[in-house]
Amino acid sequence: MTSSNPSLKTKNIPSPNDVKANAYARFIPREELSSFAAWSPGDIGGAGAAPHPLRRATDAAAKNTATGAADVAEQIAAQMRAARQSGYQDGYRDGMAALEGFKQSFASQTAAQVGALLASFGDELAGLQQEMARTLAIAATQLAHRIVRSEIAARPELIAQVAQEALDTLMLSAKHITLRVHPDDHALVAQGAAETLQTRGARLLADTSMARGGCLVESDIGIIDASIETRWHRAAAALGIDEPWDAMPAAPTTGAGDAASSDESAS
C-alpha cells in the first residue's frame, strides 16, 4: 500500500556496501568547519599517552646529535688549546735557539774584533820596539865610533896589537907576506910587532890608502883585511846597523891640550 503523503515517500539511502557512494560520503567543505587542528599520532591517546616509537627515535636521534655536536665542539676547543700550547712551546724554543745563536755570533764577532785590535796593538808595539832598538843601536854605534876614534888618537900604539893579531890569523904555510899600514903607524908597528914580523918573515910597508888604526896582510894564499873600515862594518852589522866608517859622525876635535889652553885663557 502506497502512502499519498509526500513526506512519507521513501528516500534512496545508499547502501553501506556501495563503495563508490561511500568515498564521497564524508567530504566536508571548508566553509562548514568552524575550527580545526593538525593531528599527530601521539595525540590519539590524549595528553598522558606515551609518545609514538618513531617520535621517540627521532627525539633520541636529535638528542644524540646535540650531544655529538657538543662533544665535537669540545674536541675542537681542546685541539685548539693543544695547538696554541704547542705553537707557544715551538715559538719559545725557536726564540731561545735564535737568542743562543745571536749570543754566539756576537761573542765570535766581539772576540774577532778584540783579537784584531790586540793584533794591531801588537804590531804597533813590535814596530815601536824595533824602532827603539834601531835608534838605540844607532846611538850605540855612534858612541862606539867616537870611542874608537878617541882610542886611535889617544893610544896609537894599539895598531901594533892589531897587526900581530892579523899576522897570527894567517896560516903558517903562507909565504910572501906583506903588511900594509898607514905611514903614521909604520914606526909603531915596526917597534911593537917586530918579533912577529921577523918570525913570519913579513915585509912592512907604509901605504897612504890605509886609514890609521888598521892594516892589510897580503900573502900567496890570501888576504887578511884588518882595516878600520872592515872591522867597523863587522861590528856595526852585529848591531843591525849598515853604516860605513866614513859615514859616521866624527868625534869632537877638542882635545886635552885645547881644554888646557882654554883653562889658561880663562885664568
Side-chain angles (χ1 to χ4, degrees), residues 111-238:
Q113 292 177 357
V114 173
L117 184 60
L118 292 178
S120 177
F121 285 162
D123 294 340
E124 292 182 0
L125 182 59
L128 181 61
Q129 289 177 347
Q130 292 180 357
E131 186 66 24
M132 292 177 62
R134 178 173 176 80
T135 303
L136 182 60
I138 292 175
T141 52
Q142 290 179 353
L143 179 61
H145 185 270
R146 293 183 180 183
I147 292 175
V148 171
R149 283 185 176 274
S150 299
E151 285 292 320
I152 292 174
R155 301 175 61 187
E157 65 275 8
L158 294 177
I159 184 59
Q161 182 178 354
V162 174
Q164 288 180 0
E165 292 177 355
L167 291 173
D168 292 339
T169 304
L170 193 63
M171 296 181 62
L172 296 176
S173 60
K175 304 297 182 182
H176 310 294
I177 301 174
T178 300
L179 179 62
R180 297 180 181 274
V181 297
H182 191 271
D184 294 339
D185 295 335
H186 186 275
L188 297 174
V189 174
Q191 181 180 359
E195 183 178 356
T196 304
L197 290 171
Q198 184 178 0
T199 302
R200 299 301 302 270
R203 184 176 54 166
L204 180 62
L205 296 179
D207 190 348
T208 55
S209 63
M210 298 295 300
R212 293 208 64 180
C215 63
L216 183 66
V217 180
E218 299 174 340
S219 67
D220 59 341
I221 62 174
I223 298 175
I224 303 298
D225 189 357
S227 62
I228 190 66
E229 293 86 354
T230 302
R231 288 185 291 157
W232 172 258
H233 179 74
R234 292 173 181 172

Side-chain angles (χ1 to χ4, degrees), residues 13-109:
I13 299 173
S15 174
N17 297 326
D18 191 353
V19 178
K20 182 176 181 181
N22 191 31
Y24 300 97
R26 297 304 297 169
F27 176 78
I28 302 173
R30 183 180 182 88
E31 291 78 4
E32 297 179 6
L33 296 178
S34 60
S35 63
F36 61 92
W39 173 84
S40 60
D43 295 338
I44 295 177
H52 194 272
L54 181 60
R55 183 170 185 177
R56 289 200 303 270
T58 304
D59 294 341
K63 184 177 181 181
N64 292 335
T65 302
T67 304
D71 294 340
V72 170
E74 182 64 24
Q75 292 178 1
I76 294 175
Q79 292 177 358
M80 291 181 62
R81 288 193 298 269
R84 188 181 299 110
Q85 183 66 20
S86 178
Y88 172 78
Q89 292 177 355
D90 293 342
Y92 181 79
R93 182 177 61 255
D94 294 342
M96 293 301 295
L99 178 61
E100 186 66 22
F102 172 76
K103 290 194 298 183
Q104 294 180 0
S105 176
F106 181 77
S108 300
Q109 293 179 359

